[in-house]
Amino acid sequence: MLAIVGLFLLQFQILPSNSLILVSNAPRRVIKTLKASNGAPWGSWGPPQFCAEGTYAIGYSIKAESNQGSGDDTSLNSIKLECKGLDAVRSGGIITSREGPFGHWYSEVKCPSRNGAPTFLKEFILQVEPDQYSGDDTAANFVKFYCRDFAGLTYPSELSVSPGHGNYGSWGRWSGSCGANSAICGLKTQVEGDQGGGDDTALNNVEFYCCEENSEAGK
């Protein structure tokens, strides 16, 4: 396995088989990128953000705008991840990427424990409304996850903020899972900024990063 030799890389690099995927500015051993099958096209990507070394996403919250009636709807605006160590005690911070300006933050939900051990975010699915052309576009409406133990031995359990779905659009396909001995450790979001008098969509797409433990960290 190749080691990461620097923290600041200029672009995605796909290395030879059984090697790492090096992500721009990633201070972690990123081994897989999880992508939505149905992301919307508007806006620009924010910077990737990562949990502290040795910690992984154990819960999440969303910022979303409620139904505006005859007004302009945006639905999902941002996603936050809470990071914890494998003991579910050591904090790795709360991370987000680019954030839309509309709506409010919902209460965080966390992965359940299994047989006394914590579980972590491993897989996601995105609810997205397709292009409405002359209608009111909302793009991404909701996100939910599967939790599994770090080793990947337990059956996945679904995790979602209440009520578990947005107002518009349909679910894509599940992203595929972080592998054994890895879990979601970071994200970046594609968000359209405030359009003034135009049609706002806010969050359009998201990617999550799977990381493994890095025995060389701190050396």
Side-chain angles (χ1 to χ4, degrees):
M1 182 73 70
L2 297 178
I4 295 178
V5 297
L7 299 185
F8 301 100
L9 302 163
L10 297 179
Q11 60 186 357
F12 286 92
Q13 303 177 50
I14 299 180
L15 300 180
S17 176
N18 298 321
S19 295
L20 300 176
I21 302 171
L22 304 182
V23 179
S24 175
N25 298 332
R28 302 293 306 271
R29 295 181 75 95
V30 176
I31 61 171
K32 189 175 184 179
T33 300
L34 305 181
K35 298 183 179 183
S37 64
N38 57 340
W42 301 291
S44 57
W45 288 95
Q49 297 292 321
F50 291 88
C51 300
E53 181 61 55
T55 69
Y56 303 87
I58 200 168
Y60 83 106
S61 60
I62 61 170
K63 182 182 182 183
E65 183 182 50
S66 59
N67 192 321
Q68 298 298 292
S70 60
D72 182 16
D73 291 296
T74 63
S75 295
L76 190 59
N77 272 245
S78 188
I79 302 165
K80 283 182 180 177
L81 303 179
E82 182 180 2
C83 308
K84 292 283 188 180
L86 297 182
D87 59 1
V89 174
R90 181 166 66 91
S91 176
I94 295 175
I95 60 170
T96 188
S97 180
R98 193 170 183 197
E99 179 179 337
F102 309 102
H104 69 277
W105 287 99
Y106 286 68
S107 296
E108 181 189 33
V109 292
K110 295 183 181 182
C111 290
S113 61
R114 290 281 187 87
N115 300 320
T119 62
F120 298 89
L121 303 185
K122 289 263 196 168
E123 187 170 352
F124 83 101
I125 190 170
L126 196 63
Q127 180 185 353
V128 177
E129 181 184 48
D131 191 344
Q132 300 297 290
Y133 299 101
S134 60
D136 180 10
D137 292 296
T138 62
N141 270 242
F142 210 83
V143 63
K144 58 184 178 181
F145 295 85
Y146 277 148
C147 300
R148 294 186 76 177
D149 70 295
F150 191 70
L153 300 176
T154 58
Y155 190 79
S157 58
E158 187 174 297
L159 184 71
S160 63
V161 173
S162 180
H165 59 84
N167 292 314
Y168 310 103
S170 57
W171 295 101
R173 297 186 301 275
W174 284 96
S175 62
S177 180
C178 297
N181 300 311
S182 69
I184 289 175
C185 65
L187 80 165
K188 71 173 182 177
T189 51
Q190 180 183 347
V191 176
E192 181 183 52
D194 190 339
Q195 299 298 291
D199 183 8
D200 293 296
T201 62
L203 197 146
N204 276 244
N205 202 354
V206 60
E207 293 182 356
F208 295 96
Y209 304 113
C210 301
C211 292
E212 65 180 7
E213 293 284 87
N214 181 9
S215 60
E216 298 180 1
K219 290 185 178 180

Coordinates of all heavy atoms in Angstrom, one line a residue, residues 128-188:
V128 N -33.7 13.4 -5.2 CA -33.5 14.5 -6.1 C -34.7 14.7 -7.0 O -35.2 13.8 -7.6 CB -32.2 14.4 -7.0 CG1 -32.1 15.5 -7.9 CG2 -31.0 14.2 -6.1
E129 N -35.1 16.0 -7.2 CA -36.1 16.4 -8.2 C -35.4 16.7 -9.5 O -34.5 17.6 -9.5 CB -36.9 17.5 -7.7 CG -38.0 18.0 -8.7 CD -38.8 19.2 -8.2 OE1 -38.1 20.2 -7.8 OE2 -40.0 19.2 -8.2
P130 N -35.8 16.1 -10.6 CA -35.2 16.4 -11.9 C -35.6 17.8 -12.4 O -36.4 18.5 -11.8 CB -35.7 15.3 -12.8 CG -37.0 14.9 -12.2 CD -36.8 15.0 -10.7
D131 N -34.9 18.3 -13.4 CA -35.1 19.6 -14.0 C -36.6 19.7 -14.3 O -37.2 18.9 -15.0 CB -34.3 19.7 -15.3 CG -34.3 21.1 -15.9 OD1 -35.1 21.9 -15.5 OD2 -33.4 21.4 -16.7
Q132 N -37.2 20.8 -13.8 CA -38.6 21.1 -14.0 C -38.8 22.1 -15.2 O -40.0 22.5 -15.4 CB -39.3 21.7 -12.7 CG -39.2 20.8 -11.5 CD -40.0 19.5 -11.8 OE1 -41.2 19.6 -11.8 NE2 -39.3 18.4 -11.9
Y133 N -37.7 22.5 -15.8 CA -37.8 23.4 -17.0 C -38.4 24.7 -16.6 O -37.8 25.5 -15.9 CB -38.4 22.7 -18.2 CG -37.7 21.5 -18.6 CD1 -38.1 20.2 -18.3 CD2 -36.5 21.6 -19.3 CE1 -37.4 19.1 -18.6 CE2 -35.8 20.4 -19.7 CZ -36.2 19.2 -19.3 OH -35.5 18.1 -19.6
S134 N -39.6 25.0 -17.0 CA -40.2 26.3 -16.6 C -40.8 26.3 -15.2 O -41.3 27.3 -14.7 CB -41.3 26.6 -17.6 OG -42.3 25.7 -17.7
G135 N -40.8 25.1 -14.5 CA -41.3 25.1 -13.2 C -40.3 25.4 -12.1 O -39.2 25.8 -12.4
D136 N -40.7 25.2 -10.8 CA -39.8 25.5 -9.7 C -38.9 24.4 -9.4 O -39.4 23.3 -9.0 CB -40.7 25.9 -8.5 CG -39.9 26.2 -7.2 OD1 -38.7 26.4 -7.3 OD2 -40.5 26.3 -6.2
D137 N -37.6 24.5 -9.6 CA -36.6 23.5 -9.3 C -36.2 23.5 -7.9 O -36.0 24.6 -7.3 CB -35.4 23.7 -10.2 CG -35.7 23.4 -11.7 OD1 -36.1 22.3 -12.0 OD2 -35.6 24.3 -12.5
T138 N -36.1 22.3 -7.3 CA -35.5 22.2 -5.9 C -34.3 21.4 -5.9 O -33.5 21.4 -4.9 CB -36.6 21.5 -5.0 OG1 -36.9 20.2 -5.5 CG2 -37.9 22.4 -5.0
A139 N -33.9 20.6 -6.9 CA -32.8 19.7 -6.9 C -32.8 18.7 -5.8 O -33.8 18.1 -5.6 CB -31.5 20.5 -7.0
A140 N -31.7 18.6 -5.0 CA -31.7 17.6 -3.9 C -32.7 18.0 -2.8 O -32.8 19.1 -2.4 CB -30.3 17.5 -3.3
N141 N -33.4 17.0 -2.3 CA -34.4 17.2 -1.3 C -34.1 16.5 0.0 O -34.5 17.0 1.1 CB -35.8 16.6 -1.8 CG -36.6 17.6 -2.6 OD1 -37.7 18.0 -2.1 ND2 -36.1 18.1 -3.7
F142 N -33.4 15.4 0.0 CA -33.1 14.6 1.2 C -32.0 13.7 1.0 O -31.6 13.3 -0.1 CB -34.4 13.8 1.6 CG -34.5 13.6 3.1 CD1 -35.1 14.6 3.8 CD2 -34.1 12.5 3.7 CE1 -35.3 14.4 5.2 CE2 -34.3 12.3 5.0 CZ -34.8 13.3 5.8
V143 N -31.3 13.3 2.1 CA -30.3 12.3 2.1 C -30.5 11.4 3.3 O -30.9 11.8 4.4 CB -28.9 12.9 2.1 CG1 -28.7 13.7 3.4 CG2 -27.8 11.9 1.9
K144 N -30.2 10.1 3.1 CA -30.2 9.1 4.2 C -29.1 8.1 4.0 O -28.5 8.0 2.9 CB -31.5 8.4 4.4 CG -32.0 7.7 3.2 CD -33.4 7.1 3.5 CE -34.0 6.3 2.3 NZ -35.4 5.8 2.5
F145 N -28.8 7.3 5.1 CA -27.6 6.5 5.1 C -27.9 5.1 5.6 O -28.9 4.9 6.2 CB -26.5 7.1 6.1 CG -26.0 8.5 5.6 CD1 -26.7 9.6 6.0 CD2 -24.8 8.6 4.9 CE1 -26.2 10.9 5.6 CE2 -24.3 9.8 4.5 CZ -25.0 11.0 4.9
Y146 N -26.9 4.2 5.4 CA -26.8 2.9 6.0 C -25.7 3.0 7.0 O -24.6 3.5 6.7 CB -26.5 1.8 5.1 CG -27.8 1.2 4.4 CD1 -27.7 0.7 3.1 CD2 -29.0 1.1 5.0 CE1 -28.7 0.1 2.4 CE2 -30.1 0.6 4.4 CZ -30.0 0.1 3.1 OH -31.1 -0.5 2.5
C147 N -25.9 2.5 8.2 CA -24.9 2.3 9.3 C -24.4 0.9 9.4 O -25.3 0.0 9.3 CB -25.4 2.8 10.6 SG -25.9 4.5 10.7
R148 N -23.1 0.6 9.5 CA -22.6 -0.7 9.8 C -21.5 -0.5 10.8 O -20.9 0.6 10.9 CB -22.1 -1.4 8.6 CG -23.2 -1.7 7.6 CD -22.7 -2.6 6.4 NE -22.5 -4.0 6.9 CZ -22.1 -4.9 6.0 NH1 -21.9 -4.6 4.7 NH2 -21.9 -6.2 6.4
D149 N -21.1 -1.6 11.5 CA -19.9 -1.6 12.3 C -18.7 -1.3 11.4 O -18.7 -1.6 10.2 CB -19.8 -2.8 13.1 CG -19.4 -4.0 12.3 OD1 -20.2 -4.4 11.4 OD2 -18.3 -4.6 12.4
F150 N -17.6 -0.9 12.0 CA -16.4 -0.5 11.3 C -15.9 -1.7 10.5 O -15.4 -1.5 9.3 CB -15.3 0.0 12.2 CG -14.2 0.7 11.5 CD1 -14.3 1.9 10.8 CD2 -12.9 0.1 11.5 CE1 -13.3 2.5 10.2 CE2 -11.8 0.7 10.8 CZ -12.0 1.9 10.2
A151 N -15.9 -2.9 11.0 CA -15.3 -4.1 10.3 C -16.2 -4.5 9.2 O -15.8 -5.2 8.3 CB -15.1 -5.2 11.3
G152 N -17.5 -4.0 9.2 CA -18.4 -4.4 8.1 C -19.0 -5.7 8.3 O -19.5 -6.3 7.3
L153 N -19.2 -6.2 9.5 CA -19.7 -7.6 9.8 C -21.2 -7.6 10.0 O -21.9 -8.6 9.7 CB -19.0 -8.2 11.0 CG -17.5 -8.3 10.8 CD1 -16.9 -8.9 12.1 CD2 -17.1 -9.2 9.6
T154 N -21.8 -6.5 10.5 CA -23.2 -6.5 10.9 C -24.0 -6.1 9.7 O -23.6 -5.4 8.7 CB -23.5 -5.5 12.0 OG1 -23.1 -4.2 11.6 CG2 -22.7 -5.8 13.3
Y155 N -25.3 -6.5 9.7 CA -26.3 -6.1 8.7 C -26.5 -4.6 8.8 O -26.6 -4.1 9.9 CB -27.6 -6.9 8.9 CG -28.5 -6.8 7.7 CD1 -28.4 -7.5 6.5 CD2 -29.6 -5.9 7.8 CE1 -29.2 -7.4 5.5 CE2 -30.5 -5.7 6.7 CZ -30.3 -6.5 5.6 OH -31.1 -6.3 4.5
P156 N -26.6 -3.9 7.6 CA -26.8 -2.4 7.7 C -28.1 -2.0 8.3 O -29.1 -2.7 8.0 CB -26.6 -2.0 6.2 CG -27.0 -3.2 5.4 CD -26.5 -4.4 6.3
S157 N -28.1 -0.9 9.0 CA -29.4 -0.3 9.5 C -29.5 1.1 8.9 O -28.6 1.8 8.7 CB -29.4 -0.2 11.0 OG -28.3 0.5 11.5
E158 N -30.7 1.4 8.5 CA -31.0 2.7 7.8 C -31.1 3.8 8.8 O -31.6 3.6 9.9 CB -32.3 2.6 7.0 CG -32.6 3.8 6.1 CD -33.8 3.7 5.2 OE1 -33.8 2.7 4.4 OE2 -34.7 4.4 5.4
L159 N -30.5 4.9 8.5 CA -30.5 6.1 9.3 C -31.0 7.3 8.6 O -30.5 7.6 7.5 CB -29.1 6.4 9.9 CG -29.0 7.5 10.9 CD1 -29.6 7.2 12.2 CD2 -27.5 7.9 11.0
S160 N -32.0 8.0 9.1 CA -32.6 9.2 8.4 C -33.1 10.2 9.4 O -33.7 9.8 10.4 CB -33.6 8.8 7.4 OG -34.8 8.2 8.0
V161 N -33.0 11.4 9.1 CA -33.6 12.5 9.9 C -35.1 12.4 9.6 O -35.5 12.2 8.5 CB -33.0 13.9 9.4 CG1 -33.8 15.0 10.1 CG2 -31.5 13.9 9.7
S162 N -35.9 12.7 10.6 CA -37.4 12.7 10.5 C -37.7 13.8 9.5 O -37.2 14.9 9.6 CB -38.0 12.9 11.8 OG -39.4 12.9 11.7
P163 N -38.7 13.6 8.6 CA -39.6 12.5 8.4 C -39.1 11.4 7.5 O -39.8 10.5 7.2 CB -40.8 13.2 7.8 CG -40.2 14.2 6.9 CD -39.0 14.8 7.7
G164 N -37.8 11.5 7.1 CA -37.2 10.4 6.3 C -37.3 10.6 4.8 O -36.8 9.8 4.0
H165 N -37.8 11.8 4.3 CA -37.9 12.0 2.9 C -38.2 13.5 2.7 O -38.7 14.2 3.7 CB -39.1 11.2 2.3 CG -40.4 11.5 2.9 ND1 -41.2 12.6 2.5 CD2 -41.1 10.9 3.9 CE1 -42.3 12.6 3.2 NE2 -42.3 11.5 4.1
G166 N -37.9 14.1 1.5 CA -38.3 15.4 1.2 C -39.6 15.5 0.5 O -40.3 14.5 0.3
N167 N -40.0 16.7 0.0 CA -41.3 16.9 -0.6 C -41.3 16.6 -2.1 O -42.4 16.3 -2.6 CB -41.7 18.4 -0.4 CG -42.0 18.7 1.0 OD1 -42.7 18.0 1.7 ND2 -41.5 19.9 1.5
Y168 N -40.2 16.6 -2.7 CA -40.2 16.5 -4.2 C -39.1 15.5 -4.7 O -38.1 15.4 -4.0 CB -39.9 17.9 -4.8 CG -40.8 19.0 -4.3 CD1 -40.3 19.9 -3.4 CD2 -42.2 19.1 -4.7 CE1 -41.2 20.9 -2.9 CE2 -43.0 20.0 -4.2 CZ -42.5 21.0 -3.3 OH -43.3 21.9 -2.8
G169 N -39.3 15.0 -5.8 CA -38.3 14.1 -6.5 C -38.4 12.7 -6.0 O -39.3 12.3 -5.3
S170 N -37.4 11.9 -6.5 CA -37.4 10.5 -6.2 C -36.0 10.1 -5.8 O -35.0 10.8 -6.0 CB -37.8 9.7 -7.5 OG -37.0 10.0 -8.6
W171 N -35.9 8.9 -5.2 CA -34.6 8.4 -4.7 C -33.8 7.8 -5.9 O -34.4 7.2 -6.8 CB -34.8 7.3 -3.7 CG -35.5 7.8 -2.4 CD1 -36.8 7.7 -2.1 CD2 -34.8 8.5 -1.4 NE1 -37.0 8.3 -0.9 CE2 -35.8 8.8 -0.4 CE3 -33.5 8.9 -1.1 CZ2 -35.5 9.5 0.8 CZ3 -33.2 9.6 0.0 CH2 -34.2 9.9 1.0
G172 N -32.5 8.0 -5.9 CA -31.6 7.4 -6.8 C -31.3 6.0 -6.3 O -32.1 5.3 -5.6
R173 N -30.1 5.5 -6.7 CA -29.7 4.2 -6.2 C -28.7 4.4 -5.0 O -28.0 5.4 -4.9 CB -28.9 3.4 -7.3 CG -29.8 3.1 -8.6 CD -29.0 2.3 -9.6 NE -27.8 2.9 -10.0 CZ -27.7 3.8 -11.0 NH1 -28.8 4.1 -11.7 NH2 -26.6 4.3 -11.4
W174 N -28.7 3.4 -4.2 CA -27.7 3.4 -3.1 C -26.3 3.5 -3.7 O -26.0 2.9 -4.7 CB -27.9 2.2 -2.2 CG -29.0 2.3 -1.3 CD1 -30.3 1.8 -1.5 CD2 -29.1 3.0 0.0 NE1 -31.1 2.1 -0.4 CE2 -30.4 2.8 0.5 CE3 -28.2 3.7 0.8 CZ2 -30.8 3.4 1.7 CZ3 -28.6 4.2 2.0 CH2 -29.9 4.1 2.5
S175 N -25.4 4.2 -3.0 CA -24.1 4.5 -3.5 C -23.1 3.4 -3.6 O -22.1 3.5 -4.2 CB -23.5 5.6 -2.7 OG -23.3 5.2 -1.4
G176 N -23.4 2.3 -2.9 CA -22.4 1.3 -2.7 C -21.7 1.7 -1.3 O -21.8 2.8 -0.9
S177 N -21.1 0.7 -0.7 CA -20.7 0.9 0.7 C -19.2 1.0 0.8 O -18.4 0.5 0.0 CB -21.1 -0.3 1.5 OG -20.7 -0.2 2.9
C178 N -18.8 1.7 1.9 CA -17.4 1.7 2.3 C -17.1 0.2 2.7 O -17.9 -0.5 3.3 CB -17.2 2.6 3.5 SG -17.4 4.3 3.3
G179 N -15.9 -0.2 2.4 CA -15.5 -1.6 2.6 C -15.2 -1.9 4.1 O -15.3 -1.1 5.0
A180 N -14.8 -3.1 4.3 CA -14.4 -3.6 5.7 C -13.3 -2.7 6.2 O -12.4 -2.3 5.5 CB -14.0 -5.0 5.6
N181 N -13.4 -2.4 7.5 CA -12.4 -1.6 8.2 C -12.2 -0.2 7.6 O -11.1 0.4 7.5 CB -11.0 -2.3 8.3 CG -11.2 -3.6 9.0 OD1 -11.7 -3.7 10.1 ND2 -10.7 -4.7 8.4
S182 N -13.3 0.4 7.1 CA -13.4 1.8 6.7 C -14.8 2.3 6.9 O -15.7 1.5 7.1 CB -13.0 1.9 5.2 OG -14.0 1.3 4.3
A183 N -14.9 3.6 6.8 CA -16.2 4.3 7.0 C -16.1 5.7 6.4 O -15.0 6.2 6.1 CB -16.6 4.3 8.4
I184 N -17.3 6.3 6.3 CA -17.3 7.7 5.7 C -16.5 8.6 6.7 O -16.7 8.6 7.9 CB -18.7 8.2 5.6 CG1 -19.4 7.4 4.4 CG2 -18.8 9.7 5.3 CD1 -20.9 7.7 4.2
C185 N -15.6 9.4 6.1 CA -14.7 10.3 6.9 C -14.8 11.7 6.4 O -14.1 12.6 6.9 CB -13.3 9.8 6.8 SG -12.6 9.8 5.1
G186 N -15.5 12.0 5.3 CA -15.5 13.3 4.7 C -16.5 13.5 3.6 O -17.2 12.5 3.2
L187 N -16.7 14.7 3.2 CA -17.7 15.0 2.2 C -17.4 16.3 1.4 O -16.6 17.1 1.9 CB -19.1 15.2 2.8 CG -19.5 16.5 3.5 CD1 -21.0 16.6 3.7 CD2 -18.7 16.7 4.7
K188 N -18.0 16.5 0.2 CA -18.1 17.8 -0.4 C -19.4 17.9 -1.1 O -20.0 16.9 -1.5 CB -16.9 18.0 -1.4 CG -17.0 17.2 -2.7 CD -15.9 17.6 -3.7 CE -16.0 16.8 -5.0 NZ -15.0 17.3 -5.9

